[in-house]
Amino acid sequence: MGLGDIADGIVRRAEALGDGVHEALFEPVVRLGVTGLSRAGKTVFITSLVANLLDRGRMAQFMPQAEGRILSAFLQPQPDDTVPRFDYEAHLAAMTGPNPRWPESTRAVSELRLSLRVRPGGMLSGFRSPRTVHLDIVDYPGEWLLDLELLDRDYETWSRETLARITSRDVAAAFLSAADRADASAAFDEAVAKDLAAAFSLYLHAARAAGFSDCTPGRFLLPGEMAGSPALTFAPLPKPDGTPPRKSLWREMERRFEAYKARVVKPFFRDHFARIDRQVVLVDVLGAINAGPAALEDLRRAMADTLAAFRPGRNAFLSRLLLGRRVEKILFAATKADHLHHSQHARLTAITEALMREARDRAAFAGAETGALAIAALRATTEESREHEGRRLDLVRGTLVDTGASAAFYPGRLPDDPMRLIGPAREGAERWLDADYRVMRFAPSGAEGRPGEGPPHIRLDRAADFLIGDRL
Ligand SMILES: Nc1nc2c(ncn2[C@@H]2O[C@H](COP(=O)(O)OP(=O)(O)OP(=O)(O)O)[C@@H](O)[C@H]2O)c(=O)[nH]1
Ligand SMILES: [Mg+2]
């Protein structure tokens, strides 16, 4: 255990103590983590969740609301002064204003505090006065969670495993040949390191565009203010024969890899991850099905790796940070379910559940309660049915993002048995045999709600109930 780790542990312990005293005496705080790989739907989810908690007319399945116990909800300044505030107002205006559009991509951690004034439930509720519960919503990229596995590896192991995993990928060809040409025993040269890191980061972007989820180190995709710093200027290399000399390319790459772990990965887990109580992981299951079996298989693996980050005792560093504390509930939510007619929602939920069960088995996960749901944070479509060659066809209609035209659309029929998709994906099928799936990009509908109603959604109330219902 290094000195830094001990210090981490002490700070965390003091904080935990502080939280405990504060919570017991004053107002409880629930920290809800919202994550998912890029474009999974995090920003839309948080925006719509907050809007629907402020105006609860569409939250009938959120039990504290159904029981009439929520007296009011309001936004408050968040407790963390150094974390950017989630730009709720701008995102909501984009999606529900005139000329509705989806929010811009967001690339870092952000946070928002929503406070709820609630009347306690249960037998003694009549004797207790209303109290305030703070919900701190923390948005962070799923890619950063996947970095956890770097902590278990040294540079040599990480290089070997990464090169082996990507060697058969077309998108990695340019980087692999650059890595092969590099002389890792030669004296370190910044220009060489920069070129290698640039080639590796190009590969990661291409891999993600091709539908791969294992695109770590996460900050290579989302560098933010760290772009160009040494801790982000390294790449996996084949180990040279013998012991690489001091001041060689290999030794400096090794040092930077360690710096990335110490300066990027650990602070994220310490400052954000370790404080989460409840977690929702958004997954674009429909998008992966649409992209084909390889993408679905990769999503399945990414879900297992995500879940592994929440496994108690996952590694020594995390255990010291968490001190026995753990995330209590994790919801895997398949987003964008409004691309499907509701007659297919149960199948999407079943597929998500099956993926999650596999992820649990694979990650040998026990501990937190897990759930799976198919949702649409912001419903952009309406439903219609048509006769087609003597059969009823269930369609969804929406406004196409690209042309602005209204279009009815049939996305394909999901199988009743999830294994009809997961099986071939695992066996490495190149494409789906018996079906064809499509997704279209619909613009937000901008539909006006009645007063007291938030934006239209599908099962966002059920998601909220699973995640925080029991804490209100
Ligand atoms: N139809 C529909 N599309 C959605 C929904 N949620 C998200 N989308 C689509 O998914 C895209 C990405 O959503 P975001 O919320 O920006 O995703 P994100 O995870 O925040 O993405 P990054 O910030 O890039 O990591 C949006 O631009 C929409 O096209 C939904 O409920 N319904
Ligand atoms: Mg976002």
Side-chain angles (χ1 to χ4, degrees), residues 343-369:
S343 55
Q344 297 215 59
H345 287 178
R347 293 188 198 130
L348 180 59
T349 303
I351 293 166
T352 312
E353 237 158 32
L355 286 167
M356 188 189 75
R357 264 198 310 278
E358 298 246 317
R360 280 189 73 115
D361 292 347
R362 210 183 119 100
F365 185 82
E369 183 185 341

PDB file of all heavy atoms in Angstrom, residues 343-369:
ATOM      1  N   SER A 343     -45.986  -3.316 -28.208  1.00  0.00           N
ATOM      2  CA  SER A 343     -46.158  -4.773 -28.264  1.00  0.00           C
ATOM      3  C   SER A 343     -44.804  -5.495 -28.242  1.00  0.00           C
ATOM      4  O   SER A 343     -44.750  -6.692 -27.998  1.00  0.00           O
ATOM      5  CB  SER A 343     -46.940  -5.151 -29.531  1.00  0.00           C
ATOM      6  OG  SER A 343     -46.299  -4.618 -30.682  1.00  0.00           O
ATOM      7  N   GLN A 344     -43.702  -4.774 -28.461  1.00  0.00           N
ATOM      8  CA  GLN A 344     -42.382  -5.417 -28.438  1.00  0.00           C
ATOM      9  C   GLN A 344     -41.546  -5.061 -27.203  1.00  0.00           C
ATOM     10  O   GLN A 344     -40.420  -5.536 -27.058  1.00  0.00           O
ATOM     11  CB  GLN A 344     -41.586  -4.998 -29.683  1.00  0.00           C
ATOM     12  CG  GLN A 344     -42.206  -5.453 -30.977  1.00  0.00           C
ATOM     13  CD  GLN A 344     -41.116  -5.819 -31.989  1.00  0.00           C
ATOM     14  OE1 GLN A 344     -40.284  -6.691 -31.735  1.00  0.00           O
ATOM     15  NE2 GLN A 344     -41.123  -5.137 -33.104  1.00  0.00           N
ATOM     16  N   HIS A 345     -42.121  -4.219 -26.324  1.00  0.00           N
ATOM     17  CA  HIS A 345     -41.302  -3.767 -25.189  1.00  0.00           C
ATOM     18  C   HIS A 345     -40.898  -4.903 -24.258  1.00  0.00           C
ATOM     19  O   HIS A 345     -39.784  -4.923 -23.741  1.00  0.00           O
ATOM     20  CB  HIS A 345     -42.040  -2.676 -24.406  1.00  0.00           C
ATOM     21  CG  HIS A 345     -42.063  -1.372 -25.134  1.00  0.00           C
ATOM     22  ND1 HIS A 345     -42.690  -0.263 -24.651  1.00  0.00           N
ATOM     23  CD2 HIS A 345     -41.540  -1.002 -26.324  1.00  0.00           C
ATOM     24  CE1 HIS A 345     -42.548   0.738 -25.511  1.00  0.00           C
ATOM     25  NE2 HIS A 345     -41.861   0.299 -26.528  1.00  0.00           N
ATOM     26  N   ALA A 346     -41.819  -5.858 -24.054  1.00  0.00           N
ATOM     27  CA  ALA A 346     -41.500  -6.955 -23.141  1.00  0.00           C
ATOM     28  C   ALA A 346     -40.301  -7.740 -23.671  1.00  0.00           C
ATOM     29  O   ALA A 346     -39.468  -8.224 -22.902  1.00  0.00           O
ATOM     30  CB  ALA A 346     -42.711  -7.868 -22.965  1.00  0.00           C
ATOM     31  N   ARG A 347     -40.219  -7.839 -24.993  1.00  0.00           N
ATOM     32  CA  ARG A 347     -39.082  -8.585 -25.569  1.00  0.00           C
ATOM     33  C   ARG A 347     -37.774  -7.829 -25.369  1.00  0.00           C
ATOM     34  O   ARG A 347     -36.740  -8.428 -25.088  1.00  0.00           O
ATOM     35  CB  ARG A 347     -39.308  -8.825 -27.054  1.00  0.00           C
ATOM     36  CG  ARG A 347     -40.464  -9.748 -27.270  1.00  0.00           C
ATOM     37  CD  ARG A 347     -40.592 -10.167 -28.719  1.00  0.00           C
ATOM     38  NE  ARG A 347     -41.946 -10.671 -28.896  1.00  0.00           N
ATOM     39  CZ  ARG A 347     -42.775 -10.290 -29.863  1.00  0.00           C
ATOM     40  NH1 ARG A 347     -42.361  -9.451 -30.782  1.00  0.00           N
ATOM     41  NH2 ARG A 347     -43.985 -10.769 -29.918  1.00  0.00           N
ATOM     42  N   LEU A 348     -37.825  -6.523 -25.504  1.00  0.00           N
ATOM     43  CA  LEU A 348     -36.598  -5.736 -25.284  1.00  0.00           C
ATOM     44  C   LEU A 348     -36.166  -5.860 -23.821  1.00  0.00           C
ATOM     45  O   LEU A 348     -34.975  -6.003 -23.517  1.00  0.00           O
ATOM     46  CB  LEU A 348     -36.826  -4.267 -25.666  1.00  0.00           C
ATOM     47  CG  LEU A 348     -35.625  -3.349 -25.484  1.00  0.00           C
ATOM     48  CD1 LEU A 348     -34.430  -3.819 -26.297  1.00  0.00           C
ATOM     49  CD2 LEU A 348     -35.973  -1.904 -25.859  1.00  0.00           C
ATOM     50  N   THR A 349     -37.145  -5.826 -22.908  1.00  0.00           N
ATOM     51  CA  THR A 349     -36.815  -6.002 -21.490  1.00  0.00           C
ATOM     52  C   THR A 349     -36.203  -7.381 -21.262  1.00  0.00           C
ATOM     53  O   THR A 349     -35.200  -7.518 -20.549  1.00  0.00           O
ATOM     54  CB  THR A 349     -38.066  -5.845 -20.606  1.00  0.00           C
ATOM     55  OG1 THR A 349     -38.622  -4.551 -20.860  1.00  0.00           O
ATOM     56  CG2 THR A 349     -37.735  -5.959 -19.138  1.00  0.00           C
ATOM     57  N   ALA A 350     -36.780  -8.410 -21.890  1.00  0.00           N
ATOM     58  CA  ALA A 350     -36.263  -9.775 -21.699  1.00  0.00           C
ATOM     59  C   ALA A 350     -34.827  -9.887 -22.207  1.00  0.00           C
ATOM     60  O   ALA A 350     -33.988 -10.538 -21.578  1.00  0.00           O
ATOM     61  CB  ALA A 350     -37.164 -10.779 -22.418  1.00  0.00           C
ATOM     62  N   ILE A 351     -34.537  -9.246 -23.317  1.00  0.00           N
ATOM     63  CA  ILE A 351     -33.167  -9.299 -23.855  1.00  0.00           C
ATOM     64  C   ILE A 351     -32.205  -8.587 -22.901  1.00  0.00           C
ATOM     65  O   ILE A 351     -31.117  -9.083 -22.596  1.00  0.00           O
ATOM     66  CB  ILE A 351     -33.124  -8.658 -25.264  1.00  0.00           C
ATOM     67  CG1 ILE A 351     -33.922  -9.517 -26.246  1.00  0.00           C
ATOM     68  CG2 ILE A 351     -31.687  -8.482 -25.745  1.00  0.00           C
ATOM     69  CD1 ILE A 351     -34.238  -8.821 -27.562  1.00  0.00           C
ATOM     70  N   THR A 352     -32.644  -7.425 -22.394  1.00  0.00           N
ATOM     71  CA  THR A 352     -31.795  -6.671 -21.465  1.00  0.00           C
ATOM     72  C   THR A 352     -31.558  -7.469 -20.183  1.00  0.00           C
ATOM     73  O   THR A 352     -30.440  -7.518 -19.658  1.00  0.00           O
ATOM     74  CB  THR A 352     -32.462  -5.323 -21.120  1.00  0.00           C
ATOM     75  OG1 THR A 352     -32.890  -4.715 -22.336  1.00  0.00           O
ATOM     76  CG2 THR A 352     -31.513  -4.400 -20.403  1.00  0.00           C
ATOM     77  N   GLU A 353     -32.630  -8.133 -19.708  1.00  0.00           N
ATOM     78  CA  GLU A 353     -32.499  -8.952 -18.507  1.00  0.00           C
ATOM     79  C   GLU A 353     -31.529 -10.104 -18.731  1.00  0.00           C
ATOM     80  O   GLU A 353     -30.704 -10.417 -17.873  1.00  0.00           O
ATOM     81  CB  GLU A 353     -33.869  -9.542 -18.159  1.00  0.00           C
ATOM     82  CG  GLU A 353     -34.346  -9.208 -16.779  1.00  0.00           C
ATOM     83  CD  GLU A 353     -35.867  -9.352 -16.692  1.00  0.00           C
ATOM     84  OE1 GLU A 353     -36.431 -10.214 -17.394  1.00  0.00           O
ATOM     85  OE2 GLU A 353     -36.465  -8.568 -15.950  1.00  0.00           O
ATOM     86  N   ALA A 354     -31.633 -10.741 -19.893  1.00  0.00           N
ATOM     87  CA  ALA A 354     -30.752 -11.865 -20.191  1.00  0.00           C
ATOM     88  C   ALA A 354     -29.298 -11.397 -20.279  1.00  0.00           C
ATOM     89  O   ALA A 354     -28.388 -12.052 -19.769  1.00  0.00           O
ATOM     90  CB  ALA A 354     -31.172 -12.539 -21.495  1.00  0.00           C
ATOM     91  N   LEU A 355     -29.089 -10.240 -20.903  1.00  0.00           N
ATOM     92  CA  LEU A 355     -27.724  -9.701 -20.993  1.00  0.00           C
ATOM     93  C   LEU A 355     -27.188  -9.428 -19.593  1.00  0.00           C
ATOM     94  O   LEU A 355     -26.034  -9.679 -19.284  1.00  0.00           O
ATOM     95  CB  LEU A 355     -27.713  -8.402 -21.800  1.00  0.00           C
ATOM     96  CG  LEU A 355     -27.872  -8.521 -23.316  1.00  0.00           C
ATOM     97  CD1 LEU A 355     -28.165  -7.156 -23.925  1.00  0.00           C
ATOM     98  CD2 LEU A 355     -26.630  -9.130 -23.949  1.00  0.00           C
ATOM     99  N   MET A 356     -28.082  -8.912 -18.728  1.00  0.00           N
ATOM    100  CA  MET A 356     -27.656  -8.575 -17.387  1.00  0.00           C
ATOM    101  C   MET A 356     -27.340  -9.835 -16.572  1.00  0.00           C
ATOM    102  O   MET A 356     -26.355  -9.867 -15.839  1.00  0.00           O
ATOM    103  CB  MET A 356     -28.738  -7.775 -16.691  1.00  0.00           C
ATOM    104  CG  MET A 356     -28.307  -7.231 -15.362  1.00  0.00           C
ATOM    105  SD  MET A 356     -29.700  -6.546 -14.515  1.00  0.00           S
ATOM    106  CE  MET A 356     -30.518  -8.029 -13.981  1.00  0.00           C
ATOM    107  N   ARG A 357     -28.170 -10.859 -16.723  1.00  0.00           N
ATOM    108  CA  ARG A 357     -27.894 -12.110 -16.008  1.00  0.00           C
ATOM    109  C   ARG A 357     -26.543 -12.676 -16.425  1.00  0.00           C
ATOM    110  O   ARG A 357     -25.752 -13.120 -15.599  1.00  0.00           O
ATOM    111  CB  ARG A 357     -28.993 -13.131 -16.289  1.00  0.00           C
ATOM    112  CG  ARG A 357     -30.079 -13.162 -15.219  1.00  0.00           C
ATOM    113  CD  ARG A 357     -30.884 -14.447 -15.292  1.00  0.00           C
ATOM    114  NE  ARG A 357     -31.360 -14.731 -16.639  1.00  0.00           N
ATOM    115  CZ  ARG A 357     -32.467 -14.184 -17.180  1.00  0.00           C
ATOM    116  NH1 ARG A 357     -33.187 -13.345 -16.467  1.00  0.00           N
ATOM    117  NH2 ARG A 357     -32.834 -14.490 -18.405  1.00  0.00           N
ATOM    118  N   GLU A 358     -26.294 -12.652 -17.722  1.00  0.00           N
ATOM    119  CA  GLU A 358     -25.002 -13.133 -18.215  1.00  0.00           C
ATOM    120  C   GLU A 358     -23.868 -12.303 -17.629  1.00  0.00           C
ATOM    121  O   GLU A 358     -22.825 -12.821 -17.263  1.00  0.00           O
ATOM    122  CB  GLU A 358     -24.957 -13.013 -19.729  1.00  0.00           C
ATOM    123  CG  GLU A 358     -26.000 -13.859 -20.409  1.00  0.00           C
ATOM    124  CD  GLU A 358     -25.350 -14.951 -21.216  1.00  0.00           C
ATOM    125  OE1 GLU A 358     -24.361 -14.648 -21.890  1.00  0.00           O
ATOM    126  OE2 GLU A 358     -25.813 -16.102 -21.142  1.00  0.00           O
ATOM    127  N   ALA A 359     -24.103 -10.988 -17.576  1.00  0.00           N
ATOM    128  CA  ALA A 359     -23.068 -10.101 -17.034  1.00  0.00           C
ATOM    129  C   ALA A 359     -22.824 -10.432 -15.565  1.00  0.00           C
ATOM    130  O   ALA A 359     -21.693 -10.477 -15.098  1.00  0.00           O
ATOM    131  CB  ALA A 359     -23.472  -8.636 -17.202  1.00  0.00           C
ATOM    132  N   ARG A 360     -23.896 -10.693 -14.837  1.00  0.00           N
ATOM    133  CA  ARG A 360     -23.751 -11.049 -13.416  1.00  0.00           C
ATOM    134  C   ARG A 360     -22.941 -12.317 -13.257  1.00  0.00           C
ATOM    135  O   ARG A 360     -22.058 -12.402 -12.412  1.00  0.00           O
ATOM    136  CB  ARG A 360     -25.122 -11.282 -12.772  1.00  0.00           C
ATOM    137  CG  ARG A 360     -25.865 -10.032 -12.384  1.00  0.00           C
ATOM    138  CD  ARG A 360     -27.098 -10.408 -11.567  1.00  0.00           C
ATOM    139  NE  ARG A 360     -26.707 -10.830 -10.235  1.00  0.00           N
ATOM    140  CZ  ARG A 360     -27.016 -10.179  -9.119  1.00  0.00           C
ATOM    141  NH1 ARG A 360     -27.735  -9.088  -9.193  1.00  0.00           N
ATOM    142  NH2 ARG A 360     -26.615 -10.615  -7.962  1.00  0.00           N
ATOM    143  N   ASP A 361     -23.264 -13.322 -14.078  1.00  0.00           N
ATOM    144  CA  ASP A 361     -22.526 -14.584 -13.990  1.00  0.00           C
ATOM    145  C   ASP A 361     -21.059 -14.369 -14.333  1.00  0.00           C
ATOM    146  O   ASP A 361     -20.158 -14.828 -13.653  1.00  0.00           O
ATOM    147  CB  ASP A 361     -23.118 -15.619 -14.961  1.00  0.00           C
ATOM    148  CG  ASP A 361     -24.506 -16.045 -14.520  1.00  0.00           C
ATOM    149  OD1 ASP A 361     -24.879 -15.723 -13.364  1.00  0.00           O
ATOM    150  OD2 ASP A 361     -25.217 -16.675 -15.320  1.00  0.00           O
ATOM    151  N   ARG A 362     -20.850 -13.648 -15.421  1.00  0.00           N
ATOM    152  CA  ARG A 362     -19.502 -13.442 -15.899  1.00  0.00           C
ATOM    153  C   ARG A 362     -18.663 -12.670 -14.880  1.00  0.00           C
ATOM    154  O   ARG A 362     -17.502 -12.958 -14.671  1.00  0.00           O
ATOM    155  CB  ARG A 362     -19.555 -12.658 -17.207  1.00  0.00           C
ATOM    156  CG  ARG A 362     -18.435 -12.954 -18.147  1.00  0.00           C
ATOM    157  CD  ARG A 362     -18.585 -12.055 -19.357  1.00  0.00           C
ATOM    158  NE  ARG A 362     -17.405 -11.217 -19.455  1.00  0.00           N
ATOM    159  CZ  ARG A 362     -16.414 -11.471 -20.279  1.00  0.00           C
ATOM    160  NH1 ARG A 362     -16.467 -12.492 -21.091  1.00  0.00           N
ATOM    161  NH2 ARG A 362     -15.356 -10.690 -20.316  1.00  0.00           N
ATOM    162  N   ALA A 363     -19.275 -11.691 -14.243  1.00  0.00           N
ATOM    163  CA  ALA A 363     -18.528 -10.883 -13.281  1.00  0.00           C
ATOM    164  C   ALA A 363     -18.561 -11.514 -11.890  1.00  0.00           C
ATOM    165  O   ALA A 363     -18.054 -10.934 -10.945  1.00  0.00           O
ATOM    166  CB  ALA A 363     -19.104  -9.469 -13.231  1.00  0.00           C
ATOM    167  N   ALA A 364     -19.149 -12.723 -11.772  1.00  0.00           N
ATOM    168  CA  ALA A 364     -19.318 -13.379 -10.466  1.00  0.00           C
ATOM    169  C   ALA A 364     -19.845 -12.346  -9.467  1.00  0.00           C
ATOM    170  O   ALA A 364     -19.342 -12.195  -8.370  1.00  0.00           O
ATOM    171  CB  ALA A 364     -18.008 -13.984  -9.980  1.00  0.00           C
ATOM    172  N   PHE A 365     -20.890 -11.637  -9.873  1.00  0.00           N
ATOM    173  CA  PHE A 365     -21.362 -10.501  -9.102  1.00  0.00           C
ATOM    174  C   PHE A 365     -22.365 -10.919  -8.054  1.00  0.00           C
ATOM    175  O   PHE A 365     -23.317 -11.636  -8.325  1.00  0.00           O
ATOM    176  CB  PHE A 365     -22.006  -9.481 -10.039  1.00  0.00           C
ATOM    177  CG  PHE A 365     -22.406  -8.227  -9.340  1.00  0.00           C
ATOM    178  CD1 PHE A 365     -21.473  -7.240  -9.093  1.00  0.00           C
ATOM    179  CD2 PHE A 365     -23.704  -8.042  -8.912  1.00  0.00           C
ATOM    180  CE1 PHE A 365     -21.828  -6.080  -8.434  1.00  0.00           C
ATOM    181  CE2 PHE A 365     -24.072  -6.885  -8.250  1.00  0.00           C
ATOM    182  CZ  PHE A 365     -23.129  -5.903  -8.016  1.00  0.00           C
ATOM    183  N   ALA A 366     -22.152 -10.460  -6.842  1.00  0.00           N
ATOM    184  CA  ALA A 366     -23.153 -10.633  -5.800  1.00  0.00           C
ATOM    185  C   ALA A 366     -23.146  -9.346  -5.017  1.00  0.00           C
ATOM    186  O   ALA A 366     -22.156  -8.637  -5.012  1.00  0.00           O
ATOM    187  CB  ALA A 366     -22.786 -11.802  -4.899  1.00  0.00           C
ATOM    188  N   GLY A 367     -24.227  -9.016  -4.388  1.00  0.00           N
ATOM    189  CA  GLY A 367     -24.214  -7.789  -3.598  1.00  0.00           C
ATOM    190  C   GLY A 367     -25.416  -6.960  -3.926  1.00  0.00           C
ATOM    191  O   GLY A 367     -26.530  -7.299  -3.546  1.00  0.00           O
ATOM    192  N   ALA A 368     -25.209  -5.895  -4.672  1.00  0.00           N
ATOM    193  CA  ALA A 368     -26.289  -4.959  -4.930  1.00  0.00           C
ATOM    194  C   ALA A 368     -27.473  -5.643  -5.614  1.00  0.00           C
ATOM    195  O   ALA A 368     -27.317  -6.620  -6.335  1.00  0.00           O
ATOM    196  CB  ALA A 368     -25.780  -3.829  -5.818  1.00  0.00           C
ATOM    197  N   GLU A 369     -28.644  -5.089  -5.370  1.00  0.00           N
ATOM    198  CA  GLU A 369     -29.829  -5.543  -6.084  1.00  0.00           C
ATOM    199  C   GLU A 369     -29.757  -5.006  -7.520  1.00  0.00           C
ATOM    200  O   GLU A 369     -29.469  -3.826  -7.731  1.00  0.00           O
ATOM    201  CB  GLU A 369     -31.054  -4.966  -5.377  1.00  0.00           C
ATOM    202  CG  GLU A 369     -32.372  -5.407  -5.965  1.00  0.00           C
ATOM    203  CD  GLU A 369     -33.566  -4.701  -5.295  1.00  0.00           C
ATOM    204  OE1 GLU A 369     -33.407  -4.164  -4.173  1.00  0.00           O
ATOM    205  OE2 GLU A 369     -34.635  -4.692  -5.903  1.00  0.00           O
TER     206      GLU A 369
END
